[in-house]
Amino acid sequence: MNWPTISMTTEPEGIHSMSDTERDDKMILGALISPTSSHIAGWRHEGALTNVDATFPELVKVVKSAERAMLDFIFIADELSMPAGEDEMLSRDPLVYRFEPLTLIAALAVASKDIGLVVTQSTTYNEPYHVARKLASIDQLSGGRLGWNLVTSYVPEEARNFSRSEHLANVDRYERAEEFLQVAQGLWESWDDDAFDGDRETGRYFDPRKMHRLNHEGKHFSVRGPLNVRRPVQGAPVQVQAGSSEAGRELAAKYAEVTFTAQNSLDAALAFTNDIKMRAAKYGRSASSVRVIAGVQPIIGATMEEAHAKYKEMQSLIHPEVGLTRLSQLLDYDVTNLPLDSPLPEDLPETENYKSRRELIIETGRRENLTLRELYQKVVSAYGHRVVIGTPQSVADELADWFTAGAVDGYIISPTYLPDGLDVFNQTVVPELRARGLLREGYEGKTFRENLGLERPERGSSATS
């Protein structure tokens, strides 16, 4: 993922007419659901939820707000470790506490009806049978609303929680991820859709002719199958993937149906989207088979002055120790003992971690001659998402401009804190976009896949079948 640009919009003279640039399809919108928020200091805002004090009814209210706004999905991110750092510094970092994502998304599935549910699962520190079984179960129980955000676990600290002294190399993580995904897809094809006939008269529970063992033997995995869960309602959960490295783009082009990215300009977003869709064509896929979703952190005020004041307030809450430590993590180089007003050190060593984001941080810090304080405020506040500051009208203008230009198929909204950050967006920007004909008027399909306009895969279409 890339790091954020700050878009400070100007007050529009009026709502832009979409008549000459209107597209036939609708913008996809999702929301990051993290009680600790996507802003590193959002939890410090008065009235903000945190993972520590959030109750399940409060989280349900957040999801209901997204569903009333008819957003396409909610998204739960994850890491399998605490952040790195000394204990005193860690005492200031909200990401020491995360809800286990499958547990949370399964509970939220019961409390919602139509909205898609995207959950993160690592291919580096899991086994494909476990993940395939859990995701198939939740897809069944939610009526076909699940998406899987496949990650390769880029945080080095995670290795130490899984009996390893260090992370696998980037290329090895992606090689494992591809085989992991192929195995999961094959396991989801263990049964024909009508295999379980439950014939009480004859006592036959399923038709054995409609059961298919995987018998996978590969470099990383040996999995016989079949999966002991029937085929997902959607055929397979919607495949989601994020990553802007070369290996990440290739994986997305081959398999992803939704790919997340963070881009800092319209030109960069256009280039990324065109690249992903051209790569997809190389693998025999249509451009419409993969949706590109950009991260956005909106900061909204009734006036421009109010929006800028909100942004200034949020940035003032970032503690220097947290900012420097998180910047050190993204650089994979310790800058915590350097003066806040010094520039980035020269000759930073190469690393296997955070490759694409790290390159952009270094390049921008040097191009703009930023101090470490200025750099961490720009980078860590939104975890790589673009920050858009303005009124509901001007924020809607910016989102519409990128969409109508074909730079993105939609956005994942990362509120500065919950619940207000998402509620304000849902109540002010969403109506603006809907009035311009850019958002759906209701959920047209029964499944997440149908609402995204994605085809249900036929059994036997998996690369490992």
Side-chain angles (χ1 to χ4, degrees), residues 331 333-335 344-351 358 362 366:
L331 293 172
Y333 182 86
D334 188 5
V335 297
L344 269 176
E346 295 294 329
D347 302 321
L348 292 171
E350 291 296 319
T351 177
R358 181 178 185 270
I362 294 171
R366 289 180 176 155

Side-chain angles (χ1 to χ4, degrees), residues 2-135:
N2 300 339
W3 66 276
T5 184
I6 308 298
S7 297
M8 298 189 179
T9 64
T10 56
E11 184 73 5
E13 295 179 1
I15 296 176
H16 294 326
S17 169
M18 303 299 296
S19 59
D20 53 354
T21 58
E22 200 164 37
R23 292 165 61 176
D24 293 333
D25 54 339
K26 303 297 183 183
M27 183 185 295
I28 297 168
L29 283 182
L32 176 66
I33 303 298
S34 171
T36 299
S37 87
S38 62
H39 190 287
I40 189 65
W43 70 276
R44 298 182 66 189
H45 195 282
E46 184 179 1
L49 294 177
T50 76
N51 282 333
V52 172
D53 61 22
T55 65
F56 184 64
E58 287 173 318
L59 295 177
V60 169
K61 287 181 181 178
V62 172
V63 175
K64 293 283 191 183
S65 172
E67 196 165 51
R68 281 194 302 273
M70 288 174 280
L71 302 191
D72 290 275
F73 63 92
I74 58 168
F75 169 64
I76 299 179
D78 192 36
E79 291 175 5
L80 297 170
S81 69
M82 289 171 55
E86 298 298 325
D87 289 354
E88 181 60 32
M89 191 293 304
L90 285 175
S91 71
R92 301 182 185 278
D93 195 317
L95 290 183
V96 300
Y97 186 124
R98 289 179 182 268
F99 290 114
E100 195 286 310
L102 279 175
T103 306
L104 179 56
I105 208 76
L108 293 174
V110 177
S112 56
K113 179 184 176 185
D114 297 303
I115 197 164
L117 310 159
V118 179
V119 66
T120 299
Q121 290 289 283
S122 168
T123 59
T124 303
Y125 300 116
N126 272 305
E127 288 290 317
Y129 193 95
H130 274 141
V131 170
R133 184 186 186 208
K134 293 171 185 176
L135 298 184

Side-chain angles (χ1 to χ4, degrees), residues 309-321:
K310 285 185 176 182
Y311 174 71
K312 185 177 180 180
E313 178 188 12
M314 294 304 304
Q315 296 303 91
S316 71
L317 297 176
I318 303 174
H319 195 282
E321 287 185 11

Side-chain angles (χ1 to χ4, degrees), residues 197-209:
D197 47 18
D199 192 330
R200 288 183 170 88
E201 187 124 337
T202 65
R204 191 181 75 172
Y205 196 63
F206 71 90
D207 185 341
R209 296 169 300 176

Side-chain angles (χ1 to χ4, degrees), residues 2 35 64 81 97 123 148 152 188 195 266 282 293 356 383 390 405 413-414 436 449-450:
N2 300 339
K64 293 283 191 183
S81 69
Y97 186 124
T123 59
W148 173 22
T152 59
W188 289 324
L266 175 60
K282 179 178 69 175
I293 310 295
S356 58
Y383 295 108
I413 304 305
S414 300
R436 304 175 196 201
R449 182 175 293 279
E450 288 173 352

